[in-house]
């Protein structure tokens, strides 16, 4: 809460400084960390993320007459982009502006006619770290536009719209997990999402003795043009060859039909089939507060992502190895890469009263092994995106 309030207050002050007036609206959209269930969403599997205490805040106010669009200043990037409502042209946008153009164009297609606005964007959510900064950006703008237009979307309509902005405008063939988490997460809970049926369950995560520690490797990932799309394709190919969705396969059946797939596609499929079971088991373990088992499942998930799905990298593996070496005696239940992969963050399940010692040990080992400085977030399960302040008088 303190993090969020400080972020908003800082952004409001910046808005006033830039525009000489108070803003009308304040929107907050958190990042997310996925505890287990990786590369499952586009395979109709199970995912278990939570929204975190790192967010993007948008502070917005109506613009003077005669202008028609959004003028957005990003404090982190020290960049301003302008998006004209009449020509929200995907071809003209690149980088972070592509997400905004996508959301604006798709909201307009739904009939929204937002007023011209000045927007200040501030963030304490690292980007390119596997914590869904892109989904937070999309959902933040979709929430701004629906609020500004007083035209609230159904949550799933908003989730789909944001996913489409990312797929079609930013060129990243992501699944539904990130946008769903940023919209639907409840404070104090993990979000179990069945990506086949879209049924959700809020899983309480409120044992004060257990914490989620995010460890940022500082190796930036870039999912657009990364092998992410290739992984997705390999899963689709394996399912097509087997004539069955990977979600519907048992490990026994996959093993029996191993010869039908080439070695790479077999390993991709083995990750998917194994991860669905691990995720279901982790939900039961967390509900029973069996943290040792939950941690073991997370570490097994990492091995599968490293060896079968091949989305890790040496720096991230070094962090997970250190977590494993620390183990239960040092208060680490388990750890794995989180998010799309190819860099980014590790998520670890740890004993709360050991967090400081664990951070110090990991930091020292990582510096020796890689020369890099890891960063840590003691992550708390937060609520999804929302309008936190609406001062409009009209
Ligand atoms: C990225 C994508 C998600 C999901 C994860 C991997 O974050 O945006 O849809 O596929 O990778 O679990």
């Amino acid at each position: 809460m303190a993090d969020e309030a400080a972020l908003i207050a800082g952004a409001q002050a910046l808005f006033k400084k830039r525009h000489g007036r108070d803003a009308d609206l304040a929107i907050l959209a958190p990042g997310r960390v996925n505890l287990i269930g990786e590369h499952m969403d586009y395979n109709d599997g199970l995912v278990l993320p939570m929204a975190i205490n790192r967010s993007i805040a948008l502070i917005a106010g109506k613009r003077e007459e005669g202008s028609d669009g959004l003028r957005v200043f990003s404090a982190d990037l020290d960049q301003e982009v302008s998006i004209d409502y009449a020509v929200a042209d995907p071809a003209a946008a690149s980088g972070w502006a592509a997400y905004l153009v996508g959301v604006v164009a798709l909201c307009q297609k739904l009939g929204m006619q937002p007023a011209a606005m000045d927007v200040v964007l501030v963030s304490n959510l690292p980007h390119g770290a596997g914590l869904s900064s892109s989904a937070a950006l999309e959902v933040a703008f979709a929430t701004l536009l629906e609020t500004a237009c007083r035209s609230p979307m159904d949550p799933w309509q908003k989730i789909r719209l944001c996913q489409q902005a990312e797929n079609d405008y930013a060129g990243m063939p992501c699944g539904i997990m990130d946008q769903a988490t940023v919209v639907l997460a409840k404070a104090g809970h993990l979000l179990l999402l069945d990506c086949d049926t879209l049924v959700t369950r809020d899983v309480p995560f409120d044992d004060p003795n257990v914490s989620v520690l995010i460890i940022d490797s500082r190796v930036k990932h870039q999912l657009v043009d990364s092998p992410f799309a290739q992984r997705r394709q390999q899963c689709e190919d394996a399912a097509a060859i087997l004539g069955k969705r990977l979600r519907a396969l048992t490990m026994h059946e996959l093993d029996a039909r191993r010869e039908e797939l080439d070695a790479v596609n077999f390993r991709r499929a083995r990750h998917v089939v194994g991860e669905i079971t691990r995720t279901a088991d982790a939900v039961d373990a967390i509900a029973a507060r069996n943290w040792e088992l939950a941690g073991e499942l997370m570490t097994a998930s990492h091995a599968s992502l490293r060896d079968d799905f091949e989305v890790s990298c040496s720096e991230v593996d070094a962090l997970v190895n250190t977590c494993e070496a620390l183990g239960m005696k040092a208060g680490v239940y388990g750890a794995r890469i989180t998010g799309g992969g190819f860099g980014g963050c590790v998520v670890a399940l740890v004993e709360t009263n050991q967090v400081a010692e664990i951070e110090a040990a990991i930091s020292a080992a990582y510096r020796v092994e890689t020369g890099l400085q890891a960063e840590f977030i003691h992550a708390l399960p937060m609520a999804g995106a929302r309008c936190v302040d609406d001062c409009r008088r009209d």
Side-chain angles (χ1 to χ4, degrees):
M1 268 310 167
D3 292 348
E4 296 183 345
L7 193 70
I8 297 282
Q12 280 169 330
L14 182 58
F15 186 95
K16 188 153 195 180
K17 193 166 158 221
R18 276 184 80 80
H19 300 296
R21 63 187 197 276
D22 286 323
D24 302 326
L25 293 170
I27 308 289
L28 195 79
R32 66 97 189 93
V33 67
N34 189 20
L35 261 68
I36 193 162
E38 215 64 84
H39 290 272
M40 289 296 99
D41 53 0
Y42 57 84
N43 282 302
D44 301 335
L46 303 175
V47 297
L48 190 64
M50 67 184 207
I52 61 173
N53 44 325
R54 292 300 187 95
S55 314
I56 288 176
L58 301 182
I59 306 298
K62 249 193 194 165
R63 242 169 114 180
E64 68 279 7
E65 297 299 319
S67 49
D68 192 25
L70 287 180
R71 185 167 62 181
V72 185
F73 174 70
S74 162
D76 305 4
L77 302 175
D78 193 23
Q79 269 177 22
E80 187 174 88
V81 297
S82 290
I83 295 163
D84 191 334
Y85 290 141
V87 277
D89 177 8
S94 63
W96 63 288
Y99 300 93
L100 275 52
V101 169
V103 170
V104 167
L106 293 169
C107 284
Q108 286 182 310
K109 265 196 196 163
L110 288 180
M112 291 186 210
Q113 294 181 327
M117 284 184 279
D118 279 315
V119 183
V120 165
L121 185 164
V122 297
S123 166
N124 58 12
L125 174 64
H127 28 98
L131 301 177
S132 268
S133 55
S134 47
L137 189 63
E138 294 145 16
V139 174
F141 274 91
T143 306
L144 173 64
L145 294 186
E146 68 177 353
T147 309
C149 297
R150 295 192 167 89
S151 169
M153 286 181 260
D154 164 82
W156 277 102
Q157 182 181 37
K158 179 153 117 180
I159 292 164
R160 288 280 183 220
L161 179 145
C162 291
Q163 183 194 25
Q164 196 188 341
E166 181 144 354
N167 291 167
D168 297 352
Y169 290 78
M172 156 61 179
C174 64
I176 198 72
M177 168 172 73
D178 303 345
Q179 293 78 8
T181 314
V182 176
V183 172
L184 298 175
K186 303 274 180 301
H189 292 78
L190 308 175
L191 179 75
L192 172 63
L193 168 63
D194 183 326
C195 301
D196 184 21
T197 59
L198 299 185
V199 170
T200 60
R201 187 175 126 200
D202 297 315
V203 179
F205 188 78
D206 52 5
D207 184 339
N209 301 314
V210 175
S211 291
V212 171
L213 183 64
I214 297 172
I215 311 158
D216 188 349
S217 69
R218 311 293 305 286
V219 177
K220 289 275 175 204
H221 77 176
Q222 170 61 271
L223 292 183
V224 177
D225 298 328
S226 83
F228 183 94
Q230 185 200 45
R231 294 297 181 281
R232 190 172 176 154
Q233 188 61 50
Q234 288 164 334
C235 293
E236 283 167 19
D237 291 348
I241 292 164
L242 297 170
K244 206 166 176 181
R245 292 185 315 152
L246 300 182
R247 169 80 195 250
L249 276 177
T250 63
M251 197 57 97
H252 180 72
E253 196 178 355
L254 178 64
D255 271 333
R257 300 185 62 185
R258 184 176 190 142
E259 297 307 319
E260 295 173 48
L261 298 175
D262 68 30
V264 170
N265 285 356
F266 172 75
R267 284 190 276 116
R268 305 296 188 250
R270 186 165 60 186
H271 167 70
V272 174
V273 175
E275 186 81 349
I276 291 172
T277 308
R278 278 189 292 275
T279 306
D281 291 348
V283 173
D284 293 343
I286 288 168
R289 296 195 171 191
N290 184 345
W291 305 114
E292 283 187 42
L293 178 56
E296 267 172 39
L297 291 162
M298 288 169 71
T299 305
S301 166
H302 183 76
S304 177
L305 288 158
R306 180 191 61 212
D307 302 334
D308 277 353
F309 219 63
E310 295 179 280
V311 290
S312 191
C313 64
S314 60
E315 295 88 348
V316 167
D317 289 342
L319 289 171
V320 173
N321 290 343
T322 304
C323 288
E324 272 197 83
L326 288 169
M328 274 303 302
K329 59 183 185 314
V332 181
Y333 294 105
R336 55 183 286 282
I337 189 169
T338 188
F342 312 103
C345 290
V346 164
V347 58
L349 196 64
V350 302
E351 270 177 30
T352 305
N353 62 11
Q354 308 253 45
V355 166
E357 292 83 352
I358 293 168
E359 286 188 11
I362 293 172
S363 192
Y366 192 58
R367 212 174 313 115
V368 170
E369 282 178 69
T370 63
L372 295 170
Q373 184 62 54
E375 281 191 3
F376 298 87
I377 300 172
H378 187 162
L380 303 171
M382 305 301 281
R386 60 216 180 270
C387 174
V388 289
D389 204 1
D390 186 344
C391 313
R392 287 171 297 175
R393 272 167 289 278
D394 50 358

